[in-house]
Amino acid sequence: MRQRMITGIVAGAGFLGLCMLGGLWYHVLVLLMSLIGYYEFVRMTGIRPFQGTAWIGYLGVLYTVFPWELLGLSMPLDLLRSYWLLMFLFLVITVISKNQIPIGQMAMLFLGMVYIGIGFHYLAVTRSTSDGHGLFWTFLMLAAIWSSDAGAYFTGRRIGRHKLWPAISPNKTIEGAVGGIVAAVIAAVLFAVFSGGILGIGQALLLGLCAAAVGQMGDLIQSGYKRVYGIKDSGTLLPGHGGILDRCDSWIIVFPFVHILQLLPIF
């Protein structure tokens, strides 16, 4: 527990500090996190993380999260066309190798590239929104996610009786999930109250609900594929906490979700 607390304080302070600083420093941090996350994902699936085909996925993640705008550059191809070409390349490899490199392996590399690349892309994009309130939106979503985690944990420990999804995560309870939703909504509403008109109460309720519900699903997604591969943690980078994906499993689902469905009032 002591190690866990020390790691959490140091890592959290470093992340939040660079998030407050913003700009290229924060974006580069998110880019590094995304590449480490992809490494963890590839290793979990039993694929050698630095074999030739895995490098295509690393390049895809790098392309997706790269700070193009901050460097005054334009993305040569949009993500839809880029991903199609990368998918085609993965499939071509299975043919050229005469199925020595199976399509299932290529599919997992491609899936991890999209899952992690898009997730961290929107984590970085939120901080640099054109409305000038990127720090507010980033802290809002992180606070709602963290409040959901804390609310679910303490509610589940105190009054949890009914299992939420025991085949995937045996310790999670329905009561804990509800407690997490309530905590996330309260956190989002508090942000709205002190936002000076940036965020309305109705929008805060929706964002808090999404952060909790979608964030908990992100956690279950991570638990699900870790259970398939028989591992406890995605990595060992953060002592007492596991790897990057263990800490960011909710983030890389929630941030794309609220952007893609245009739930953040910045459009």
Side-chain angles (χ1 to χ4, degrees):
M1 181 59 71
R2 181 182 178 185
Q3 183 185 56
R4 183 180 177 87
M5 290 181 62
I6 293 173
T7 301
I9 292 171
V10 173
F15 176 82
L16 292 176
L18 285 176
C19 185
M20 293 179 68
L21 185 62
L24 192 59
W25 288 103
Y26 174 70
H27 205 121
V28 169
L29 171 64
V30 174
L31 175 59
L32 290 174
M33 291 169 63
S34 69
L35 292 172
I36 295 170
Y38 188 71
Y39 164 83
E40 293 175 353
F41 183 89
V42 174
R43 191 175 60 84
M44 279 193 297
T45 60
I47 302 171
R48 286 180 296 169
F50 296 118
Q51 72 175 37
T53 51
W55 281 105
I56 300 172
Y58 287 112
L59 290 174
V61 171
L62 176 64
Y63 186 85
T64 304
V65 191
F66 192 79
W68 298 99
E69 291 188 7
L70 291 175
L71 294 175
L73 302 172
S74 297
M75 187 178 283
L77 292 175
D78 62 41
L79 291 180
L80 177 61
R81 287 184 286 180
S82 302
Y83 283 168
W84 192 93
L85 290 173
L86 288 168
M87 180 196 69
F88 176 65
L89 180 57
F90 276 126
L91 294 174
V92 165
I93 289 172
T94 66
V95 174
I96 293 175
S97 71
K98 299 179 181 178
N99 286 330
Q100 293 300 308
I101 302 177
I103 192 169
Q105 179 176 313
M106 296 295 94
M108 289 305 297
L109 290 173
F110 181 77
L111 174 65
M113 181 194 75
V114 176
Y115 165 54
I116 293 163
I118 290 292
F120 283 102
H121 166 77
Y122 280 111
L123 180 62
V125 163
T126 304
R127 178 62 182 87
S128 56
T129 52
S130 58
D131 69 348
H133 300 299
L135 183 61
F136 175 84
W137 301 122
T138 302
F139 276 9
L140 163 66
M141 298 315 301
L142 289 175
I145 293 169
W146 289 337
S147 296
S148 174
D149 289 344
Y153 176 77
F154 288 111
T155 305
R157 278 182 62 94
R158 192 163 188 84
I159 63 172
R161 297 292 183 271
H162 303 88
K163 297 298 183 182
L164 176 66
W165 215 301
I168 297 295
S169 185
N171 294 325
K172 288 182 171 56
T173 63
I174 295 174
E175 294 85 356
V178 173
I181 291 173
V182 172
V185 168
I186 291 173
V189 168
L190 288 174
F191 265 77
V193 170
F194 295 102
S195 70
I198 298 173
L199 177 66
I201 297 295
Q203 294 167 323
L205 289 170
L206 179 59
L207 288 170
L209 177 62
C210 288
V214 178
Q216 290 180 33
M217 182 56 69
D219 191 349
L220 288 169
I221 290 169
Q222 172 91 337
S223 297
Y225 67 70
K226 285 195 295 188
R227 185 166 290 273
V228 167
Y229 291 107
I231 60 175
K232 182 179 182 295
D233 296 320
S234 66
T236 58
L237 180 65
L238 304 170
H241 290 265
I244 290 292
L245 294 183
D246 293 309
R247 292 302 90 206
C248 302
D249 51 6
S250 297
W251 307 7
I252 59 177
I253 294 293
V254 171
F255 277 86
F257 185 88
V258 296
H259 272 277
I260 290 170
L261 295 186
Q262 299 187 1
L263 300 179
L264 283 180
I266 58 177
F267 298 93

